[in-house]
PDB file of all heavy atoms in Angstrom:
ATOM      1  N   PRO N   1     -37.914 193.737-230.675  1.00  0.00           N
ATOM      2  CA  PRO N   1     -36.551 193.876-231.032  1.00  0.00           C
ATOM      3  C   PRO N   1     -35.599 194.125-229.858  1.00  0.00           C
ATOM      4  O   PRO N   1     -34.406 193.738-229.886  1.00  0.00           O
ATOM      5  CB  PRO N   1     -36.546 195.159-231.938  1.00  0.00           C
ATOM      6  CG  PRO N   1     -37.873 195.260-232.494  1.00  0.00           C
ATOM      7  CD  PRO N   1     -38.833 194.648-231.434  1.00  0.00           C
ATOM      8  N   VAL N   2     -36.088 194.625-228.812  1.00  0.00           N
ATOM      9  CA  VAL N   2     -35.198 194.890-227.598  1.00  0.00           C
ATOM     10  C   VAL N   2     -34.913 193.609-227.008  1.00  0.00           C
ATOM     11  O   VAL N   2     -33.721 193.315-226.588  1.00  0.00           O
ATOM     12  CB  VAL N   2     -35.976 195.821-226.557  1.00  0.00           C
ATOM     13  CG1 VAL N   2     -35.132 195.923-225.305  1.00  0.00           C
ATOM     14  CG2 VAL N   2     -36.232 197.197-227.132  1.00  0.00           C
ATOM     15  N   GLY N   3     -35.793 192.687-226.892  1.00  0.00           N
ATOM     16  CA  GLY N   3     -35.504 191.352-226.402  1.00  0.00           C
ATOM     17  C   GLY N   3     -34.446 190.568-227.202  1.00  0.00           C
ATOM     18  O   GLY N   3     -33.621 189.949-226.647  1.00  0.00           O
ATOM     19  N   VAL N   4     -34.607 190.669-228.564  1.00  0.00           N
ATOM     20  CA  VAL N   4     -33.641 190.056-229.407  1.00  0.00           C
ATOM     21  C   VAL N   4     -32.246 190.743-229.258  1.00  0.00           C
ATOM     22  O   VAL N   4     -31.200 190.141-229.264  1.00  0.00           O
ATOM     23  CB  VAL N   4     -34.046 190.142-230.932  1.00  0.00           C
ATOM     24  CG1 VAL N   4     -33.012 189.673-231.890  1.00  0.00           C
ATOM     25  CG2 VAL N   4     -35.362 189.362-231.150  1.00  0.00           C
ATOM     26  N   PHE N   5     -32.315 192.039-229.132  1.00  0.00           N
ATOM     27  CA  PHE N   5     -30.970 192.770-228.954  1.00  0.00           C
ATOM     28  C   PHE N   5     -30.231 192.319-227.750  1.00  0.00           C
ATOM     29  O   PHE N   5     -29.095 192.093-227.725  1.00  0.00           O
ATOM     30  CB  PHE N   5     -31.263 194.299-228.886  1.00  0.00           C
ATOM     31  CG  PHE N   5     -30.069 195.125-228.470  1.00  0.00           C
ATOM     32  CD1 PHE N   5     -28.965 195.295-229.401  1.00  0.00           C
ATOM     33  CD2 PHE N   5     -29.906 195.554-227.229  1.00  0.00           C
ATOM     34  CE1 PHE N   5     -27.913 196.049-229.035  1.00  0.00           C
ATOM     35  CE2 PHE N   5     -28.781 196.301-226.773  1.00  0.00           C
ATOM     36  CZ  PHE N   5     -27.755 196.555-227.718  1.00  0.00           C
ATOM     37  N   PHE N   6     -30.958 192.075-226.620  1.00  0.00           N
ATOM     38  CA  PHE N   6     -30.311 191.687-225.373  1.00  0.00           C
ATOM     39  C   PHE N   6     -29.871 190.241-225.540  1.00  0.00           C
ATOM     40  O   PHE N   6     -28.892 189.802-224.764  1.00  0.00           O
ATOM     41  CB  PHE N   6     -31.306 191.760-224.131  1.00  0.00           C
ATOM     42  CG  PHE N   6     -31.481 193.197-223.715  1.00  0.00           C
ATOM     43  CD1 PHE N   6     -32.712 193.586-223.269  1.00  0.00           C
ATOM     44  CD2 PHE N   6     -30.396 194.037-223.612  1.00  0.00           C
ATOM     45  CE1 PHE N   6     -32.904 194.894-222.810  1.00  0.00           C
ATOM     46  CE2 PHE N   6     -30.529 195.308-223.087  1.00  0.00           C
ATOM     47  CZ  PHE N   6     -31.807 195.711-222.777  1.00  0.00           C
ATOM     48  N   GLU N   7     -30.464 189.474-226.426  1.00  0.00           N
ATOM     49  CA  GLU N   7     -29.998 188.039-226.567  1.00  0.00           C
ATOM     50  C   GLU N   7     -28.817 187.907-227.519  1.00  0.00           C
ATOM     51  O   GLU N   7     -27.814 187.227-227.265  1.00  0.00           O
ATOM     52  CB  GLU N   7     -31.115 187.207-227.073  1.00  0.00           C
ATOM     53  CG  GLU N   7     -30.864 185.750-227.136  1.00  0.00           C
ATOM     54  CD  GLU N   7     -30.674 185.069-225.767  1.00  0.00           C
ATOM     55  OE1 GLU N   7     -31.232 185.575-224.790  1.00  0.00           O
ATOM     56  OE2 GLU N   7     -29.935 184.096-225.713  1.00  0.00           O
ATOM     57  N   VAL N   8     -28.863 188.562-228.702  1.00  0.00           N
ATOM     58  CA  VAL N   8     -27.898 188.387-229.760  1.00  0.00           C
ATOM     59  C   VAL N   8     -27.162 189.691-230.168  1.00  0.00           C
ATOM     60  O   VAL N   8     -26.177 189.580-230.925  1.00  0.00           O
ATOM     61  CB  VAL N   8     -28.449 187.687-230.966  1.00  0.00           C
ATOM     62  CG1 VAL N   8     -28.922 186.288-230.569  1.00  0.00           C
ATOM     63  CG2 VAL N   8     -29.599 188.497-231.603  1.00  0.00           C
ATOM     64  N   GLY N   9     -27.526 190.790-229.678  1.00  0.00           N
ATOM     65  CA  GLY N   9     -26.852 192.053-230.103  1.00  0.00           C
ATOM     66  C   GLY N   9     -27.373 192.498-231.438  1.00  0.00           C
ATOM     67  O   GLY N   9     -28.421 191.971-231.935  1.00  0.00           O
ATOM     68  N   ILE N  10     -26.719 193.456-232.065  1.00  0.00           N
ATOM     69  CA  ILE N  10     -27.150 193.980-233.360  1.00  0.00           C
ATOM     70  C   ILE N  10     -26.544 193.125-234.422  1.00  0.00           C
ATOM     71  O   ILE N  10     -25.343 193.048-234.615  1.00  0.00           O
ATOM     72  CB  ILE N  10     -26.692 195.478-233.548  1.00  0.00           C
ATOM     73  CG1 ILE N  10     -27.456 196.346-232.560  1.00  0.00           C
ATOM     74  CG2 ILE N  10     -27.010 195.870-234.918  1.00  0.00           C
ATOM     75  CD1 ILE N  10     -27.111 197.811-232.645  1.00  0.00           C
ATOM     76  N   GLY N  11     -27.420 192.350-235.164  1.00  0.00           N
ATOM     77  CA  GLY N  11     -26.912 191.507-236.158  1.00  0.00           C
ATOM     78  C   GLY N  11     -28.065 191.107-237.034  1.00  0.00           C
ATOM     79  O   GLY N  11     -29.162 191.846-237.036  1.00  0.00           O
ATOM     80  N   LEU N  12     -27.996 190.038-237.736  1.00  0.00           N
ATOM     81  CA  LEU N  12     -29.008 189.658-238.688  1.00  0.00           C
ATOM     82  C   LEU N  12     -30.354 189.414-238.023  1.00  0.00           C
ATOM     83  O   LEU N  12     -31.387 189.822-238.432  1.00  0.00           O
ATOM     84  CB  LEU N  12     -28.528 188.331-239.406  1.00  0.00           C
ATOM     85  CG  LEU N  12     -29.639 187.731-240.331  1.00  0.00           C
ATOM     86  CD1 LEU N  12     -29.948 188.635-241.479  1.00  0.00           C
ATOM     87  CD2 LEU N  12     -29.219 186.343-240.789  1.00  0.00           C
ATOM     88  N   HIS N  13     -30.375 188.724-236.923  1.00  0.00           N
ATOM     89  CA  HIS N  13     -31.610 188.419-236.206  1.00  0.00           C
ATOM     90  C   HIS N  13     -32.263 189.667-235.647  1.00  0.00           C
ATOM     91  O   HIS N  13     -33.516 189.761-235.626  1.00  0.00           O
ATOM     92  CB  HIS N  13     -31.439 187.432-235.072  1.00  0.00           C
ATOM     93  CG  HIS N  13     -31.245 186.034-235.602  1.00  0.00           C
ATOM     94  ND1 HIS N  13     -32.109 185.264-236.176  1.00  0.00           N
ATOM     95  CD2 HIS N  13     -30.097 185.227-235.561  1.00  0.00           C
ATOM     96  CE1 HIS N  13     -31.667 184.102-236.616  1.00  0.00           C
ATOM     97  NE2 HIS N  13     -30.460 184.126-236.183  1.00  0.00           N
ATOM     98  N   PHE N  14     -31.507 190.675-235.179  1.00  0.00           N
ATOM     99  CA  PHE N  14     -32.103 191.901-234.695  1.00  0.00           C
ATOM    100  C   PHE N  14     -32.777 192.590-235.843  1.00  0.00           C
ATOM    101  O   PHE N  14     -33.948 193.020-235.729  1.00  0.00           O
ATOM    102  CB  PHE N  14     -30.965 192.739-234.235  1.00  0.00           C
ATOM    103  CG  PHE N  14     -31.438 194.164-233.801  1.00  0.00           C
ATOM    104  CD1 PHE N  14     -32.188 194.332-232.578  1.00  0.00           C
ATOM    105  CD2 PHE N  14     -31.100 195.217-234.488  1.00  0.00           C
ATOM    106  CE1 PHE N  14     -32.649 195.598-232.263  1.00  0.00           C
ATOM    107  CE2 PHE N  14     -31.523 196.484-234.187  1.00  0.00           C
ATOM    108  CZ  PHE N  14     -32.243 196.673-233.000  1.00  0.00           C
ATOM    109  N   TRP N  15     -32.086 192.743-236.993  1.00  0.00           N
ATOM    110  CA  TRP N  15     -32.729 193.470-238.140  1.00  0.00           C
ATOM    111  C   TRP N  15     -33.938 192.633-238.687  1.00  0.00           C
ATOM    112  O   TRP N  15     -34.981 193.290-239.103  1.00  0.00           O
ATOM    113  CB  TRP N  15     -31.773 193.691-239.183  1.00  0.00           C
ATOM    114  CG  TRP N  15     -30.680 194.646-238.745  1.00  0.00           C
ATOM    115  CD1 TRP N  15     -29.380 194.443-238.506  1.00  0.00           C
ATOM    116  CD2 TRP N  15     -30.874 196.068-238.315  1.00  0.00           C
ATOM    117  NE1 TRP N  15     -28.757 195.530-237.992  1.00  0.00           N
ATOM    118  CE2 TRP N  15     -29.596 196.537-237.881  1.00  0.00           C
ATOM    119  CE3 TRP N  15     -31.994 196.907-238.339  1.00  0.00           C
ATOM    120  CZ2 TRP N  15     -29.432 197.863-237.532  1.00  0.00           C
ATOM    121  CZ3 TRP N  15     -31.812 198.270-237.886  1.00  0.00           C
ATOM    122  CH2 TRP N  15     -30.549 198.724-237.480  1.00  0.00           C
ATOM    123  N   LEU N  16     -33.846 191.353-238.789  1.00  0.00           N
ATOM    124  CA  LEU N  16     -34.950 190.509-239.171  1.00  0.00           C
ATOM    125  C   LEU N  16     -36.165 190.720-238.200  1.00  0.00           C
ATOM    126  O   LEU N  16     -37.351 190.823-238.651  1.00  0.00           O
ATOM    127  CB  LEU N  16     -34.532 189.008-239.260  1.00  0.00           C
ATOM    128  CG  LEU N  16     -35.664 188.052-239.597  1.00  0.00           C
ATOM    129  CD1 LEU N  16     -36.190 188.397-240.992  1.00  0.00           C
ATOM    130  CD2 LEU N  16     -35.153 186.718-239.472  1.00  0.00           C
ATOM    131  N   ASN N  17     -35.930 190.838-236.931  1.00  0.00           N
ATOM    132  CA  ASN N  17     -36.928 191.024-236.006  1.00  0.00           C
ATOM    133  C   ASN N  17     -37.642 192.393-236.113  1.00  0.00           C
ATOM    134  O   ASN N  17     -38.890 192.489-236.089  1.00  0.00           O
ATOM    135  CB  ASN N  17     -36.487 190.830-234.557  1.00  0.00           C
ATOM    136  CG  ASN N  17     -37.594 190.748-233.618  1.00  0.00           C
ATOM    137  OD1 ASN N  17     -38.004 191.813-233.039  1.00  0.00           O
ATOM    138  ND2 ASN N  17     -38.148 189.579-233.405  1.00  0.00           N
ATOM    139  N   ILE N  18     -36.837 193.451-236.391  1.00  0.00           N
ATOM    140  CA  ILE N  18     -37.427 194.717-236.691  1.00  0.00           C
ATOM    141  C   ILE N  18     -38.393 194.634-237.906  1.00  0.00           C
ATOM    142  O   ILE N  18     -39.531 195.115-237.869  1.00  0.00           O
ATOM    143  CB  ILE N  18     -36.314 195.791-236.891  1.00  0.00           C
ATOM    144  CG1 ILE N  18     -35.715 196.093-235.529  1.00  0.00           C
ATOM    145  CG2 ILE N  18     -36.870 197.076-237.420  1.00  0.00           C
ATOM    146  CD1 ILE N  18     -34.592 197.150-235.557  1.00  0.00           C
ATOM    147  N   LEU N  19     -37.936 194.019-238.968  1.00  0.00           N
ATOM    148  CA  LEU N  19     -38.661 193.838-240.180  1.00  0.00           C
ATOM    149  C   LEU N  19     -39.951 193.052-239.857  1.00  0.00           C
ATOM    150  O   LEU N  19     -41.114 193.514-240.209  1.00  0.00           O
ATOM    151  CB  LEU N  19     -37.857 193.170-241.189  1.00  0.00           C
ATOM    152  CG  LEU N  19     -38.527 193.032-242.601  1.00  0.00           C
ATOM    153  CD1 LEU N  19     -38.691 194.513-243.202  1.00  0.00           C
ATOM    154  CD2 LEU N  19     -37.679 192.206-243.517  1.00  0.00           C
ATOM    155  N   LEU N  20     -39.874 192.009-239.119  1.00  0.00           N
ATOM    156  CA  LEU N  20     -41.126 191.195-238.745  1.00  0.00           C
ATOM    157  C   LEU N  20     -42.065 191.908-237.898  1.00  0.00           C
ATOM    158  O   LEU N  20     -43.236 191.833-238.016  1.00  0.00           O
ATOM    159  CB  LEU N  20     -40.715 189.894-238.088  1.00  0.00           C
ATOM    160  CG  LEU N  20     -40.059 188.839-238.982  1.00  0.00           C
ATOM    161  CD1 LEU N  20     -39.488 187.707-238.113  1.00  0.00           C
ATOM    162  CD2 LEU N  20     -41.020 188.288-239.968  1.00  0.00           C
ATOM    163  N   THR N  21     -41.520 192.702-237.029  1.00  0.00           N
ATOM    164  CA  THR N  21     -42.378 193.549-236.096  1.00  0.00           C
ATOM    165  C   THR N  21     -43.097 194.681-236.909  1.00  0.00           C
ATOM    166  O   THR N  21     -44.206 194.960-236.641  1.00  0.00           O
ATOM    167  CB  THR N  21     -41.538 194.157-235.041  1.00  0.00           C
ATOM    168  OG1 THR N  21     -40.880 193.109-234.235  1.00  0.00           O
ATOM    169  CG2 THR N  21     -42.380 194.923-234.033  1.00  0.00           C
ATOM    170  N   LEU N  22     -42.386 195.148-237.828  1.00  0.00           N
ATOM    171  CA  LEU N  22     -43.070 196.219-238.702  1.00  0.00           C
ATOM    172  C   LEU N  22     -44.155 195.595-239.582  1.00  0.00           C
ATOM    173  O   LEU N  22     -45.142 196.266-239.857  1.00  0.00           O
ATOM    174  CB  LEU N  22     -42.063 196.890-239.622  1.00  0.00           C
ATOM    175  CG  LEU N  22     -41.036 197.852-238.880  1.00  0.00           C
ATOM    176  CD1 LEU N  22     -40.041 198.378-239.881  1.00  0.00           C
ATOM    177  CD2 LEU N  22     -41.823 198.996-238.280  1.00  0.00           C
ATOM    178  N   PHE N  23     -43.988 194.426-240.076  1.00  0.00           N
ATOM    179  CA  PHE N  23     -45.038 193.746-240.883  1.00  0.00           C
ATOM    180  C   PHE N  23     -46.145 193.264-239.991  1.00  0.00           C
ATOM    181  O   PHE N  23     -47.269 193.066-240.523  1.00  0.00           O
ATOM    182  CB  PHE N  23     -44.386 192.543-241.687  1.00  0.00           C
ATOM    183  CG  PHE N  23     -43.633 192.988-242.877  1.00  0.00           C
ATOM    184  CD1 PHE N  23     -42.421 192.358-243.278  1.00  0.00           C
ATOM    185  CD2 PHE N  23     -44.054 194.066-243.640  1.00  0.00           C
ATOM    186  CE1 PHE N  23     -41.628 192.748-244.281  1.00  0.00           C
ATOM    187  CE2 PHE N  23     -43.381 194.437-244.760  1.00  0.00           C
ATOM    188  CZ  PHE N  23     -42.121 193.808-245.070  1.00  0.00           C
ATOM    189  N   GLY N  24     -45.846 192.899-238.778  1.00  0.00           N
ATOM    190  CA  GLY N  24     -46.949 192.481-237.945  1.00  0.00           C
ATOM    191  C   GLY N  24     -46.362 192.206-236.548  1.00  0.00           C
ATOM    192  O   GLY N  24     -45.289 191.613-236.430  1.00  0.00           O
ATOM    193  N   TYR N  25     -47.029 192.631-235.570  1.00  0.00           N
ATOM    194  CA  TYR N  25     -46.468 192.656-234.245  1.00  0.00           C
ATOM    195  C   TYR N  25     -46.331 191.112-233.732  1.00  0.00           C
ATOM    196  O   TYR N  25     -45.330 190.898-233.134  1.00  0.00           O
ATOM    197  CB  TYR N  25     -47.493 193.397-233.222  1.00  0.00           C
ATOM    198  CG  TYR N  25     -46.913 193.625-231.819  1.00  0.00           C
ATOM    199  CD1 TYR N  25     -45.895 194.485-231.625  1.00  0.00           C
ATOM    200  CD2 TYR N  25     -47.591 192.949-230.816  1.00  0.00           C
ATOM    201  CE1 TYR N  25     -45.462 194.664-230.319  1.00  0.00           C
ATOM    202  CE2 TYR N  25     -47.086 193.145-229.494  1.00  0.00           C
ATOM    203  CZ  TYR N  25     -46.013 193.967-229.302  1.00  0.00           C
ATOM    204  OH  TYR N  25     -45.555 194.167-228.028  1.00  0.00           O
ATOM    205  N   VAL N  26     -47.326 190.322-234.057  1.00  0.00           N
ATOM    206  CA  VAL N  26     -47.177 188.827-233.567  1.00  0.00           C
ATOM    207  C   VAL N  26     -46.006 188.158-234.232  1.00  0.00           C
ATOM    208  O   VAL N  26     -45.290 187.403-233.469  1.00  0.00           O
ATOM    209  CB  VAL N  26     -48.513 188.220-233.800  1.00  0.00           C
ATOM    210  CG1 VAL N  26     -48.495 186.742-233.556  1.00  0.00           C
ATOM    211  CG2 VAL N  26     -49.639 188.920-233.070  1.00  0.00           C
ATOM    212  N   PRO N  27     -45.767 188.238-235.464  1.00  0.00           N
ATOM    213  CA  PRO N  27     -44.581 187.629-236.017  1.00  0.00           C
ATOM    214  C   PRO N  27     -43.245 188.043-235.272  1.00  0.00           C
ATOM    215  O   PRO N  27     -42.320 187.263-235.067  1.00  0.00           O
ATOM    216  CB  PRO N  27     -44.513 187.925-237.467  1.00  0.00           C
ATOM    217  CG  PRO N  27     -45.936 188.258-237.839  1.00  0.00           C
ATOM    218  CD  PRO N  27     -46.515 188.864-236.536  1.00  0.00           C
ATOM    219  N   GLY N  28     -43.205 189.322-235.027  1.00  0.00           N
ATOM    220  CA  GLY N  28     -42.078 189.839-234.253  1.00  0.00           C
ATOM    221  C   GLY N  28     -41.859 189.221-232.863  1.00  0.00           C
ATOM    222  O   GLY N  28     -40.729 188.786-232.411  1.00  0.00           O
ATOM    223  N   ILE N  29     -42.985 189.031-232.195  1.00  0.00           N
ATOM    224  CA  ILE N  29     -42.958 188.326-230.901  1.00  0.00           C
ATOM    225  C   ILE N  29     -42.532 186.900-230.970  1.00  0.00           C
ATOM    226  O   ILE N  29     -41.755 186.404-230.215  1.00  0.00           O
ATOM    227  CB  ILE N  29     -44.400 188.408-230.226  1.00  0.00           C
ATOM    228  CG1 ILE N  29     -44.683 189.912-229.855  1.00  0.00           C
ATOM    229  CG2 ILE N  29     -44.454 187.567-228.969  1.00  0.00           C
ATOM    230  CD1 ILE N  29     -46.077 190.167-229.362  1.00  0.00           C
ATOM    231  N   ILE N  30     -43.166 186.175-231.932  1.00  0.00           N
ATOM    232  CA  ILE N  30     -42.806 184.788-232.153  1.00  0.00           C
ATOM    233  C   ILE N  30     -41.335 184.571-232.442  1.00  0.00           C
ATOM    234  O   ILE N  30     -40.599 183.666-231.829  1.00  0.00           O
ATOM    235  CB  ILE N  30     -43.759 184.182-233.314  1.00  0.00           C
ATOM    236  CG1 ILE N  30     -45.164 184.129-232.868  1.00  0.00           C
ATOM    237  CG2 ILE N  30     -43.182 182.788-233.636  1.00  0.00           C
ATOM    238  CD1 ILE N  30     -46.164 183.827-233.851  1.00  0.00           C
ATOM    239  N   HIS N  31     -40.816 185.474-233.376  1.00  0.00           N
ATOM    240  CA  HIS N  31     -39.353 185.368-233.645  1.00  0.00           C
ATOM    241  C   HIS N  31     -38.487 185.627-232.443  1.00  0.00           C
ATOM    242  O   HIS N  31     -37.492 184.971-232.272  1.00  0.00           O
ATOM    243  CB  HIS N  31     -39.028 186.277-234.773  1.00  0.00           C
ATOM    244  CG  HIS N  31     -37.616 186.347-235.175  1.00  0.00           C
ATOM    245  ND1 HIS N  31     -36.819 187.398-234.818  1.00  0.00           N
ATOM    246  CD2 HIS N  31     -36.876 185.442-235.920  1.00  0.00           C
ATOM    247  CE1 HIS N  31     -35.527 187.079-235.319  1.00  0.00           C
ATOM    248  NE2 HIS N  31     -35.640 185.894-235.919  1.00  0.00           N
ATOM    249  N   ALA N  32     -38.922 186.659-231.684  1.00  0.00           N
ATOM    250  CA  ALA N  32     -38.107 186.973-230.466  1.00  0.00           C
ATOM    251  C   ALA N  32     -38.069 185.899-229.488  1.00  0.00           C
ATOM    252  O   ALA N  32     -36.997 185.575-228.903  1.00  0.00           O
ATOM    253  CB  ALA N  32     -38.652 188.290-229.842  1.00  0.00           C
ATOM    254  N   VAL N  33     -39.229 185.356-229.197  1.00  0.00           N
ATOM    255  CA  VAL N  33     -39.328 184.241-228.215  1.00  0.00           C
ATOM    256  C   VAL N  33     -38.463 182.998-228.734  1.00  0.00           C
ATOM    257  O   VAL N  33     -37.791 182.412-227.959  1.00  0.00           O
ATOM    258  CB  VAL N  33     -40.733 183.876-227.925  1.00  0.00           C
ATOM    259  CG1 VAL N  33     -40.839 182.596-227.109  1.00  0.00           C
ATOM    260  CG2 VAL N  33     -41.444 185.021-227.174  1.00  0.00           C
ATOM    261  N   TRP N  34     -38.590 182.760-230.045  1.00  0.00           N
ATOM    262  CA  TRP N  34     -37.844 181.648-230.575  1.00  0.00           C
ATOM    263  C   TRP N  34     -36.256 181.800-230.446  1.00  0.00           C
ATOM    264  O   TRP N  34     -35.539 180.992-230.089  1.00  0.00           O
ATOM    265  CB  TRP N  34     -38.150 181.450-232.117  1.00  0.00           C
ATOM    266  CG  TRP N  34     -37.332 180.436-232.741  1.00  0.00           C
ATOM    267  CD1 TRP N  34     -37.508 179.063-232.634  1.00  0.00           C
ATOM    268  CD2 TRP N  34     -36.262 180.577-233.676  1.00  0.00           C
ATOM    269  NE1 TRP N  34     -36.542 178.385-233.367  1.00  0.00           N
ATOM    270  CE2 TRP N  34     -35.847 179.334-234.046  1.00  0.00           C
ATOM    271  CE3 TRP N  34     -35.666 181.753-234.187  1.00  0.00           C
ATOM    272  CZ2 TRP N  34     -34.762 179.166-234.974  1.00  0.00           C
ATOM    273  CZ3 TRP N  34     -34.565 181.557-235.060  1.00  0.00           C
ATOM    274  CH2 TRP N  34     -34.120 180.340-235.389  1.00  0.00           C
ATOM    275  N   ILE N  35     -35.822 183.065-230.664  1.00  0.00           N
ATOM    276  CA  ILE N  35     -34.457 183.445-230.525  1.00  0.00           C
ATOM    277  C   ILE N  35     -33.980 183.192-229.137  1.00  0.00           C
ATOM    278  O   ILE N  35     -32.901 182.647-228.775  1.00  0.00           O
ATOM    279  CB  ILE N  35     -34.094 184.874-230.966  1.00  0.00           C
ATOM    280  CG1 ILE N  35     -34.285 184.990-232.507  1.00  0.00           C
ATOM    281  CG2 ILE N  35     -32.792 185.319-230.487  1.00  0.00           C
ATOM    282  CD1 ILE N  35     -33.338 184.286-233.252  1.00  0.00           C
ATOM    283  N   ILE N  36     -34.805 183.580-228.140  1.00  0.00           N
ATOM    284  CA  ILE N  36     -34.451 183.487-226.750  1.00  0.00           C
ATOM    285  C   ILE N  36     -34.430 182.011-226.269  1.00  0.00           C
ATOM    286  O   ILE N  36     -33.540 181.590-225.503  1.00  0.00           O
ATOM    287  CB  ILE N  36     -35.382 184.314-225.902  1.00  0.00           C
ATOM    288  CG1 ILE N  36     -35.197 185.847-226.170  1.00  0.00           C
ATOM    289  CG2 ILE N  36     -35.108 184.073-224.366  1.00  0.00           C
ATOM    290  CD1 ILE N  36     -36.234 186.699-225.646  1.00  0.00           C
TER     291      ILE N  36
END
């Protein structure tokens, strides 16, 4: 979520990334790298 925050700020993708990270660490990483 920190990587997503630095890229897009607090918004839909940030909260989605927190949710994905809570469900599984790897989906959160994949989403963050995709956003960047």
Side-chain angles (χ1 to χ4, degrees):
V2 175
V4 173
F5 172 75
F6 284 141
E7 186 68 27
V8 296
I10 294 179
L12 174 67
H13 286 292
F14 175 75
W15 295 111
L16 177 62
N17 190 270
I18 287 178
L19 187 66
L20 287 170
T21 303
L22 289 174
F23 284 139
Y25 190 66
V26 174
I29 293 171
I30 292 170
H31 179 255
V33 171
W34 176 74
I35 291 294
I36 293 167

